[in-house]
Amino acid sequence: MTDKIFVTRPFLPPVEEYLAYVKKIYETGILTGQAVSGPLGQELERRLSSFLKVENFQIVTNGTIALQFALKALGIESGEVITTPFTYVATTSSILWERCKPVFVDIEPDNFTLDPAKIEAAITPETKAIMPVHVFGYACDVDAIQKIADKHGLKVIYDAAHAFGSVYKGKSLTSYGDVSTLSFQATKIFHTAEGGACICRDRAVHERLDQAKHFGLNGTEHVCLGINGKQEEFNAALGLAVFDHMNEIFEARKHICAVYDELLKNKVQRPKPQKDLIFNHAYYPILFENEKELLAAFDRWNKADIFPRRYFHPSLTELPYLTEKFDCPVSKDVSSRIVSMPLYVGMTDDDVERVCKEI
Ligand SMILES: *Cc1c(COP(=O)(O)O)cnc(C)c1O
């Protein structure tokens, strides 16, 4: 009997370390905030923004609401948002939920991020923003995208849910765009079980967002239409306990990726990330020749109790609740034959070998 290997496993810090933070909650009696975050939430915000070297950083309930807040705080309440179909469904659904229309543009074959060469053809008088994704922790062509946005007066919102810890051209990958959003959901590289964050270029946008997530309150005054988008203190306590292990998390994942690299050398197609990128090792995607070979590998894996995932499949151009058809052949092709390999802290070299043996 062998252990099951899943695509991921949430990192759990030693329980005593989590409880040491929880004890602080019991001491202050503050479980959450109303118009400002609680003390642990504030401490986590300080530590994360200093780690990422970004200003105007704030934690919110999750990565999906972070994207919705970004649209709201930038004043985008209608019109078209150019985005990628090769991502998790939340990127697209947040646009729809904010009553805007997602307009899909195809991805680059090398690193699966939005292809800047195809953006301008999709711009119409209704276009308000571009929402690219640093998918798997690889960097979008941020300079080319910003140039297009400036030329056409568009906002840029990066879904940076995968980008925590990636550094591009000497800066955190989360520091680009008008707003950059993170997810701290349990399977992400840094997590708070559920959580997310927004990083805003402008202080004014940051402040609008801060009020919006606290019911539209400024102190006790009602200043704008808000919602409840804040994180409570137990999530922050878990986040602090996880963050204490951040170096170990990055190192462990880097090592596992190096073992994969060694075992899969010249056997599978791999993405080609940018030269200027320090990668966070958030994911280890591989490409099969075609979907048939992928499905055959899944058969072998599942028989051996190994459960990688088809990230991302299908291409979101296929979402059943979208009426308009978009032609994004690269995204469609990549989604049909890409697999995200198991990768988590605690995975052993033997586990990696077991996974690779079936390819
Ligand atoms: C995880 C994820 C989200 C959603 O984040 P939640 O915190 O789960 O709401 C959004 N976009 C991408 C690319 C993601 O991977």
Side-chain angles (χ1 to χ4, degrees):
M1 206 31 214
T2 50
D3 285 339
K4 289 192 161 102
I5 299 178
F6 293 102
V7 67
T8 186
R9 263 193 209 173
F11 177 81
L12 279 171
V15 69
E16 320 75 67
E17 296 180 19
Y18 169 57
L19 290 176
Y21 285 110
V22 168
K23 199 155 164 263
K24 296 189 186 186
I25 301 177
Y26 274 70
E27 280 162 12
T28 59
I30 301 172
L31 309 192
T32 186
Q34 185 193 14
V36 289
S37 317
L40 295 187
Q42 289 184 25
E43 185 183 343
L44 186 60
E45 271 178 359
R46 273 195 304 274
R47 288 179 67 185
L48 294 177
S49 61
S50 125
F51 169 77
L52 296 170
K53 299 194 179 73
V54 292
E55 284 173 30
N56 302 333
F57 173 93
Q58 59 188 304
I59 295 178
V60 296
T61 325
N62 59 59
T64 305
I65 203 89
L67 288 165
Q68 291 176 226
F69 275 136
L71 289 164
K72 260 294 189 286
L74 292 169
I76 300 164
E77 300 188 328
S78 65
E80 298 175 1
V81 177
I82 290 176
T83 189
T84 164
F86 188 71
T87 176
Y88 188 59
V89 68
T91 318
T92 300
S93 64
S94 66
I95 296 171
L96 287 163
W97 203 261
E98 291 300 317
R99 296 170 187 267
C100 297
K101 185 179 137 187
V103 172
F104 291 120
V105 164
D106 213 349
I107 55 171
E108 303 223 34
D110 280 353
N111 56 49
F112 324 131
T113 58
L114 193 66
D115 189 344
K118 295 182 181 156
I119 292 176
E120 279 196 292
I123 294 176
T124 76
E126 290 303 309
T127 309
K128 303 281 172 58
I130 309 173
M131 191 185 277
V133 179
H134 299 301
V135 70
F136 300 133
Y138 301 129
C140 294
D141 190 341
V142 291
D143 293 334
I145 291 170
Q146 192 59 54
K147 216 161 145 188
I148 295 166
D150 290 344
K151 181 171 157 197
H152 296 271
L154 306 176
K155 302 288 186 197
V156 182
I157 300 165
Y158 281 107
D159 181 341
H162 301 173
F164 188 90
S166 274
V167 174
Y168 187 50
K169 297 190 173 176
K171 292 203 299 186
S172 165
L173 191 47
T174 65
S175 64
Y176 296 94
D178 291 285
V179 181
S180 202
T181 68
L182 286 159
S183 165
F184 302 149
Q185 190 266 341
T187 62
K188 306 286 152 94
I189 198 158
F190 164 76
H191 79 90
T192 61
E194 288 279 1
C198 292
I199 296 156
C200 304
R201 179 177 290 160
D202 277 1
R203 190 72 197 167
V205 174
H206 171 82
E207 278 164 12
R208 266 206 297 284
L209 217 153
D210 193 38
Q211 289 172 348
K213 83 171 185 200
H214 293 113
F215 308 102
L217 289 171
N218 183 2
T220 53
E221 211 183 324
H222 297 276
V223 290
C224 63
L225 174 66
I227 194 168
N228 183 355
K230 60 196 153 51
Q231 187 177 54
E232 45 79 19
E233 291 282 280
F234 289 90
N235 282 139
L238 181 61
L240 286 163
V242 171
F243 189 70
D244 288 336
H245 291 267
M246 215 55 230
N247 280 340
E248 178 191 326
I249 293 171
F250 284 125
E251 285 308 311
R253 302 179 72 100
K254 189 175 173 182
H255 171 79
I256 296 162
C257 290
V259 180
Y260 271 128
D261 279 345
E262 188 59 38
L263 292 172
L264 295 178
K265 205 162 39 186
N266 305 323
K267 285 201 179 137
V268 291
Q269 195 186 326
R270 291 272 298 139
K272 297 181 204 70
Q274 302 76 357
K275 284 189 297 293
D276 306 337
L277 177 77
I278 302 171
F279 183 49
N280 62 359
H281 304 96
Y283 296 86
Y284 196 95
I286 65 167
L287 289 157
F288 283 88
E289 281 292 312
N290 52 53
E291 190 167 31
K292 198 166 152 240
E293 286 192 15
L294 173 147
L295 293 173
F298 264 84
D299 256 2
R300 294 192 297 274
W301 275 324
N302 294 354
K303 280 192 188 110
D305 270 346
I306 300 166
F307 304 93
R309 282 282 290 275
R310 296 188 72 179
Y311 276 161
F312 288 98
H313 177 81
S315 172
L316 295 180
T317 45
E318 314 298 312
L319 276 179
Y321 43 81
L322 285 176
T323 44
E324 196 167 331
K325 291 285 160 241
F326 293 92
D327 192 27
C328 297
V330 181
S331 174
K332 202 169 171 182
D333 169 55
V334 169
S335 331
S336 74
R337 56 197 182 88
I338 196 163
V339 177
S340 228
M341 300 293 268
L343 174 56
Y344 49 87
V345 179
M347 193 176 180
T348 64
D349 292 10
D350 284 349
D351 291 336
V352 181
E353 261 181 60
R354 250 179 79 197
V355 176
C356 293
K357 214 176 70 195
E358 309 296 337
I359 294 173

